[in-house]
């Protein structure tokens, strides 16, 4: 019965179908229809209910069944788990990796109860509307080069958005911005020793169909839906994301290919040449960004003429 309700909603192609019509077709009461709608919502479907108009399906949960046929990757996403809820997909992906999950495994969730950014900051999502995913990579590179994957991910998301004619820029190291507002955050976590990298978990949060943010974020965050005024199909976006990222991740494994990746990253990065303040846990620097080096570090020229190579930090433009 629940499948039939879903089928009727899907057949309406994003238009409203009244509760009365559904109840007539199924031969059940309006209250029974409401119960099925409620069950579908709990399973991750977003269904708008409007008085006098009925129900409208606006998005489906991400599922391996919807994503897999769209993948053109060799390994990325070939093992794919889509959960309703996760504490943090990065935490669960790390556990999977420790249990031996293969290179390229992906774990997505409709919502996170403890989504996190760098330095244990919070990452906020709208349940069922965004993309929260963690990718497990087992690259053959030294641990010191692992930050390459942050840059490669930011570049991939930049390319994905540009292909949709959305004018994104990258703020070093891990933010993708549109008109100065953040649409995507990336959280890279490593496992291994200085000599040997066991695996990398790349956590990616993309604001897709979020229509409004909590007041503390609305000045700094944006979503695809806010930019285009449309809802976006998450399964195809998800597949395009992985299709875009895999060749870039491959490029991180050799010095020559990575050099090419870095030069594309630099072109997309709005931070180079800017007067900025960079804050890390211990320090704050002010200066002009000269360049990004081959390790992905920011090269900052401070007023005393010294060049500092910074591997992590929050950048703010001085004119802000
Ligand atoms: C990040 O950290 O931007 C990394 C975010 C990574 C999120 C993904 S989702 C899947 C995976 N599982 C996780 O638990 N995490 C990853 P950072 O540069 O520290 O930025 C965090 C800051 O961004 C917060 O302090 C807020 O100011 C802001 N923020 C939080 N949620 C946001 C959102 N949805 N959109 C834009 N900005 C947000």
């Amino acid at each position: 019965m629940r499948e039939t309700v879903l089928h009727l909603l899907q057949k309406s192609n994003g238009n409203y179908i009244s509760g009365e019509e559904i109840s007539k077709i199924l031969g059940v009461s309006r209250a029974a229809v409401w119960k099925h709608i409620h069950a579908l919502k709990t399973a991750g479907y977003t269904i708008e209910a409007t008085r006098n108009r009925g129900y409208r399906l606006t998005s489906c949960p991400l599922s391996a069944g919807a994503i897999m046929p769209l993948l053109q990757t060799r390994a990325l996403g070939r093992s794919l788990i889509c959960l309703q809820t996760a504490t943090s997909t990065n935490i669960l992906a790390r556990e999977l990796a420790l249990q031996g999950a293969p290179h390229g495994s992906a774990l997505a969730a409709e919502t996170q109860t403890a989504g996190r950014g760098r330095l244990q900051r919070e990452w906020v999502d709208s349940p069922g509307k965004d993309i929260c995913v963690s990718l497990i990579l087992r690259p053959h590179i030294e641990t010191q080069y692992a930050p390459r994957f942050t840059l490669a991910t930011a570049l991939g998301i930049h390319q994905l958005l540009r292909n949709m004619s959305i004018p994104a820029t990258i703020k070093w190291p891990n933010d993708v911005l549109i008109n100065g507002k953040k649409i995507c955050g990336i959280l890279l976590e490593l496992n291994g020793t200085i000599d040997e990298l066991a695996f990398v978990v790349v956590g990616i949060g993309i604001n897709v169909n979020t229509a409004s943010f909590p007041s503390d974020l609305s000045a700094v965050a944006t979503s695809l839906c806010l930019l285009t005024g449309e809802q976006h199909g998450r399964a195809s976006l998800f597949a395009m994301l992985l299709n875009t990222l895999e060749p870039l991740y491959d490029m991180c494994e050799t010095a020559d290919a990575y050099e090419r990746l870095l030069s594309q990253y630099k072109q997309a990065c709005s931070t180079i040449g800017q007067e900025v303040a960079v804050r890390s846990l211990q320090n704050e620097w002010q200066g002009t960004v000269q360049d990004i080096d081959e390790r992905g570090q920011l090269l900052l020229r401070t007023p005393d003429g010294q060049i500092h190579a910074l591997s992590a930090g929050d950048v703010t433009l001085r004119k802000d």
Side-chain angles (χ1 to χ4, degrees), residues 152-165:
T153 307
L155 181 63
I157 290 155
H158 178 268
Q159 288 179 355
L160 183 75
L161 294 170
R162 289 269 164 166
N163 286 341
M164 297 166 74
S165 303

Side-chain angles (χ1 to χ4, degrees), residues 124 181 212-221:
V124 176
K181 290 186 171 184
S212 65
F213 288 95
S215 54
D216 58 328
L217 284 184
S218 55
V220 293

Side-chain angles (χ1 to χ4, degrees), residues 151 170-173 258 262 265-267 269-272 289-300 310:
L151 274 60
I170 298 173
K171 186 174 104 174
W172 179 90
Y258 180 67
L262 188 61
Y265 178 94
K266 287 190 205 176
Q267 279 173 25
C269 179
S270 60
T271 318
I272 298 174
V289 179
Q290 295 294 112
D291 204 351
I292 292 168
D293 73 8
E294 72 288 349
R295 288 201 187 168
Q297 301 181 110
L298 197 74
L299 300 182
L300 189 77
L310 308 177

Side-chain angles (χ1 to χ4, degrees), residues 302-316:
T302 44
D304 58 8
Q306 280 195 45
I307 304 279
H308 300 261
L310 308 177
S311 57
D314 283 319
V315 174
T316 41

Side-chain angles (χ1 to χ4, degrees), residues 106-238:
L107 186 138
E110 294 294 328
T111 188
Q112 300 182 110
T113 54
R116 59 188 194 196
R118 294 175 301 157
L119 308 172
Q120 303 299 321
R121 284 185 289 231
E122 191 187 7
W123 183 257
V124 176
D125 63 74
S126 303
K129 294 192 180 256
D130 299 320
I131 290 180
C132 300
V133 61
S134 297
L135 307 171
I136 297 168
L137 307 178
R138 297 183 182 278
H140 302 287
I141 56 171
E142 289 171 38
T143 306
Q144 59 168 330
Y145 297 126
R148 290 177 176 179
F149 291 98
T150 300
L151 274 60
T153 307
L155 181 63
I157 290 155
H158 178 268
Q159 288 179 355
L160 183 75
L161 294 170
R162 289 269 164 166
N163 286 341
M164 297 166 74
S165 303
I166 295 175
T169 56
I170 298 173
K171 186 174 104 174
W172 179 90
N174 71 324
D175 287 351
V176 182
L177 307 180
I178 295 165
N179 303 329
K181 290 186 171 184
K182 183 157 161 173
I183 193 161
C184 168
I186 299 159
L187 176 65
L188 189 81
E189 294 180 305
L190 313 182
N191 192 282
T193 61
I194 289 187
D195 299 324
E196 205 181 343
L197 183 61
F199 62 83
V200 174
V201 173
V202 188
I204 304 170
I206 307 180
N207 303 324
V208 182
N209 291 324
T210 291
S212 65
F213 288 95
S215 54
D216 58 328
L217 284 184
S218 55
V220 293
T222 190
S223 71
L224 275 182
C225 157
L226 284 172
L227 285 159
T228 61
E230 289 169 9
Q231 298 278 313
H232 291 260
R234 288 179 305 148
S236 58
L237 200 64
F238 191 100

